[in-house]
Amino acid sequence: MSTFSTPLAAVPSAQRPARFRGRIGRDARSGHYAVPRRYRLHLTTACADGLRIAVGHSLLALDDICPVTFLAAVPDCPGGGHSALRPLYEASAHRYTGPALAPVLSDDWSGRIVSTHAPDILRDLDRCFGDGRDRLYPCGAEAGIEEVERLCAQGIEAAAQRAGRAGADAAERAAALDILLGTLAGLERRLAGREFLVGDGLTAADVEVWAALVQFDTVHRHHLDAAAVHRAADHPALWAHARRLTARPAFGAHLDLDGIARRHHARCAGLEAAGSAVQILDWARHAAGAPGSRRG
């Protein structure tokens, strides 16, 4: 896992949002020590990154150590930003004019942003505040988890976006669909005769895949044809894994289907396709035993 130094302030352009890559306890110059209740998460579970962090936070039982502020599903500012986050961005980046995006890990002592990079945030929560027993990133599993993260980012989320992109030519969409289906098939093989993706227990790899599958079935399939969605659904071990995880309170309690739908409709410029009629999982039913769902 790469390490990153922590800038005192990011200086973004008007076109690109600031990216903060501070680490808790990783860089002594930053002063970001691992102190309970010093840090705060700002999340919307209607986006995949926020959903991953919220699930990981619940699995680590950090409610009393790192409080969470849940944001509205649909951002209230142009560019996808949240007005509630603007004071943090303006305090952290000189003359900041870009969107105030979530997720954010902030430092309540300084009123500044530590990180907006979801993988680093979840790793630091696990390393600095986990109880050491049920680790999301257990020793020896890092390479396997990072491989699954790449598969989710490139082979599911990015490939599904390209496969359903309006205006793309048929060959480009077909190539992206092949990558998507190949990734799903590879994950299906990983789960053959196994309960979890990496090692013998639940890790961040399972959280990554679950959030990617939620995003695919609630957002991306709306821009694919029905045949493509049926082919994606034809991975029984993978979708059964998603179904089992959804029934766990740490997962299902954060599943805001209404918020995801409203965020998608507010942001999406693509065309709806026949895949909209082919829901793979009944997420609401499987999450029914997980009380406390977040509403944005």
Side-chain angles (χ1 to χ4, degrees), residues 1-278:
M1 181 170 62
S2 300
T3 59
F4 300 90
S5 62
T6 306
L8 294 178
V11 184
S13 69
Q15 289 74 35
R16 297 186 63 187
R19 288 188 61 83
F20 299 86
R21 296 289 296 269
R23 304 298 300 270
I24 298 176
R26 180 58 58 85
D27 180 3
R29 294 171 299 174
S30 73
H32 291 142
Y33 308 118
V35 179
R37 301 196 68 80
R38 173 177 176 177
Y39 303 99
R40 178 177 299 273
L41 288 167
H42 308 261
L43 309 173
T44 171
T45 56
C47 81
D49 280 342
L51 184 58
R52 289 182 179 99
I53 296 172
V55 169
H57 180 272
S58 289
L59 288 170
L60 293 169
L62 298 182
D63 283 344
D64 294 331
I65 293 175
C66 180
V68 181
T69 296
F70 286 98
L71 305 167
V74 180
D76 58 348
C77 293
H82 296 267
S83 59
L85 296 179
R86 181 147 295 280
L88 285 171
Y89 273 84
E90 291 177 349
S92 306
H94 182 59
R95 295 182 179 177
Y96 183 71
T97 59
L101 305 176
V104 165
L105 176 69
S106 69
D107 178 357
D108 280 353
W109 289 5
S110 67
R112 293 187 174 189
I113 294 171
V114 177
S115 180
T116 59
H117 188 62
D120 288 350
I121 291 172
L122 196 52
R123 279 176 167 80
D124 285 356
L125 292 178
D126 179 63
R127 178 173 51 84
C128 296
F129 299 117
D131 63 12
R133 297 190 300 272
D134 299 320
R135 297 289 301 274
L136 295 178
Y137 299 87
C139 183
E142 293 92 341
I145 293 171
E146 289 177 0
E147 182 183 2
V148 171
E149 289 173 342
R150 288 192 296 272
L151 288 171
C152 290
Q154 300 169 15
I156 299 180
E157 295 177 352
Q161 286 181 344
R162 294 196 304 272
R165 181 174 296 156
D169 61 47
E172 181 183 353
R173 290 168 64 105
L177 180 61
D178 285 344
I179 292 172
L180 169 65
L181 295 174
T183 301
L184 296 178
L187 293 169
E188 176 83 2
R189 289 191 293 272
R190 282 175 179 261
L191 286 168
R194 301 180 57 179
E195 187 176 357
F196 301 105
L197 282 156
V198 176
D200 297 326
L202 192 150
T203 68
D206 302 287
V207 178
E208 286 285 329
V209 168
W210 182 79
L213 294 178
V214 168
Q215 189 77 357
F216 177 80
D217 196 23
T218 60
V219 174
H220 296 310
R221 71 173 169 84
H222 293 287
H223 306 295
L224 300 175
D225 63 41
V229 178
H230 281 298
R231 293 174 68 188
D234 191 21
H235 298 89
L238 183 59
W239 291 101
H241 186 49
R243 186 169 60 247
R244 289 192 300 270
L245 292 176
T246 305
R248 294 184 176 221
F251 290 79
H254 291 295
L255 191 54
D256 181 5
L257 298 172
D258 176 69
I260 292 172
R262 287 189 287 111
R263 183 182 179 89
H264 176 221
H265 291 310
R267 302 175 67 204
C268 181
L271 301 176
E272 187 170 287
S276 284
V278 187

